[in-house]
Amino acid sequence: MTSIDDDAFATQSKESARQDVADRATALGRSLRSGAVFILLGLMVIGFGIAEPAFVNVANLMSILQAVSVVAILGAGVTVTLAVGGFDLSIGAIAASSVMAASYAMIVWQLDAFVTVPLVLMFGATVGLINALLIVRLRVPDLLATLAMMFLLSGLQLIPTAGRSISPGLILPDGSKASGAFDPAFLMIGRYSLFATLPVSVVLMVAAAVTLYLLTEHTRIGRLLFATGGNELATRLAGASTTRLKTLAYVISGALAALGGIVIAARVGRGDVSSGGSLLMDAVAASLIGFAVLNLRRPNVLGTVAGAVFVGVLLNGLTMLNAPYYTQDFVKGAVLVGALALTFGLGRNADR
């Protein structure tokens, strides 16, 4: 009896040890998936720094953050609409129209920065409100409503100047000459750096990200936003107004897109009709890569910012290593495919 009991105990101990090793391996795998984006980001910084020492200069790192600030701001807006189960295709057009609107307000209407900035932000919020009315009141599918708004704004922004870019001395369609100029205080938004190091646009990105993070992750409104996207009927039955929640999401998205347009206008110092061409796809890519951050598998603002920085570091490093410019879209696509595969494929299989 003693021998049989000892054998059974030994077998049980071995099985327990195997299970303990398997549990540890599973926990390690989850930890690696949760921090995969940050681990890869750290490895990229180290690798690019070794290959090109100038990459890790503070000036270059700040340049990367400045370059991705607009994409991160717009991506945060996309993230909020994804949270309610929607999707905003008009953010790139809103940003481009905001560039033109800000430039027109100062060059043609001769307004200063303290009037122009609130006016443009109100413009973006109004477009977001119109999107929301189309979606929640008229029951137009979100993709169709925001796609229509994208085309509308893309054409509307060209009408006041007859398709011309806006700069000092602009010749208007009636033949007159605009006499306004960009307010130096406005240009500081895109060109000034605090303590000669930290760009104002990066400060705006961080402020927008932290504000939205607190709203979406630590308030009742944020929980209701995600609940609306997860199960709209249950959220409505629980007493929440999904109409107001969706409206709030699209208004926030529109206002953030306008903020991104303001940063672009302040950086380039002109209303370029071609601005905002790639902003939509870059912002969407950042927000979707954010799904892989911390293995959350859902929209999250900090993940979106991390996704934007990840792509920015990768592209900047490749540029410094003289990689061909025409490979950038391929690289962004490959990163997006990898992030989504890690999040929805490998991660799901490992959790079974």
Side-chain angles (χ1 to χ4, degrees):
M1 290 295 295
T2 302
S3 177
I4 294 176
D5 290 342
D6 288 344
D7 290 343
F9 179 75
T11 300
Q12 184 177 7
S13 297
K14 289 180 181 179
E15 291 179 353
S16 177
R18 291 194 192 97
Q19 184 62 40
D20 185 53
V21 171
D23 291 342
R24 290 182 180 180
T26 300
L28 178 60
R30 288 176 179 172
S31 298
L32 290 175
R33 287 195 305 276
S34 297
V37 172
F38 298 108
I39 294 172
L40 292 175
L41 182 60
L43 292 175
M44 280 197 305
V45 171
I46 295 172
F48 286 137
I50 294 174
E52 178 54 70
F55 177 82
V56 293
N57 288 344
V58 173
N60 185 59
L61 296 178
M62 288 297 105
S63 175
I64 293 173
L65 292 178
Q66 185 177 32
V68 304
S69 59
V70 173
V71 172
I73 290 171
L74 268 66
V78 174
T79 301
V80 177
T81 59
L82 287 173
V84 297
F87 200 92
D88 191 353
L89 288 175
S90 65
I91 57 165
I94 295 175
S97 298
S98 298
V99 172
M100 299 294 285
S103 303
Y104 195 89
M106 286 180 285
I107 298 298
V108 180
W109 293 345
Q110 303 180 38
L111 302 179
D112 61 21
F114 301 100
V115 177
T116 298
V117 171
L119 189 65
V120 175
L121 290 176
M122 189 180 301
F123 163 75
T126 301
V127 174
L129 179 61
I130 295 172
N131 281 335
L133 292 176
L134 290 172
I135 294 166
V136 302
R137 293 297 184 186
L138 301 182
R139 305 293 183 182
V140 178
D142 53 351
L143 291 177
L144 296 181
T146 55
L147 179 65
M149 184 59 68
M150 179 183 74
F151 284 118
L152 176 66
L153 293 177
S154 297
L156 179 63
Q157 66 177 339
L158 302 177
I159 295 175
T161 62
R164 300 185 184 93
S165 294
I166 302 176
S167 58
L170 170 70
I171 304 300
L172 298 173
D174 62 2
S176 62
K177 184 177 180 180
S179 57
F182 281 93
D183 187 343
F186 180 84
L187 295 177
M188 289 176 65
I189 297 174
R191 301 178 181 180
Y192 182 74
S193 295
L194 300 178
F195 312 110
T197 302
L198 185 62
V200 172
S201 58
V202 176
V203 175
L204 292 175
M205 175 188 73
V206 173
V210 171
T211 301
L212 276 184
Y213 170 76
L214 294 176
L215 173 67
T216 55
E217 303 290 344
H218 295 283
T219 67
R220 180 175 180 272
I221 292 177
R223 291 190 290 272
L224 291 175
L225 288 172
F226 285 111
T228 300
N231 192 326
E232 183 176 349
L233 178 59
T235 306
R236 193 183 303 119
L237 292 175
S241 174
T242 56
T243 297
R244 292 180 180 178
L245 291 167
K246 286 187 174 184
T247 300
L248 175 64
Y250 281 97
V251 168
I252 291 175
S253 179
L256 288 176
L259 177 61
I262 289 171
V263 173
I264 295 173
R267 185 183 302 167
V268 301
R270 65 184 271 124
D272 194 343
V273 294
S274 62
S275 60
S278 64
L279 289 176
L280 171 62
M281 298 310 299
D282 289 346
V284 171
S287 61
L288 293 180
I289 292 173
F291 277 58
V293 174
L294 301 179
N295 203 30
L296 292 178
R297 302 183 197 171
R298 64 170 174 79
N300 68 98
V301 175
L302 295 187
T304 297
V305 175
V309 172
F310 185 91
V311 174
V313 167
L314 180 60
L315 296 181
N316 181 272
L318 292 175
T319 300
M320 295 191 73
L321 295 179
N322 295 319
Y325 73 92
Y326 49 80
T327 62
Q328 292 191 359
D329 286 341
F330 171 79
V331 170
K332 285 187 284 188
V335 169
L336 179 57
V337 169
L340 295 178
L342 177 67
T343 303
F344 295 102
L346 300 178
R348 179 179 299 171
N349 293 334
D351 290 340
R352 287 177 179 174

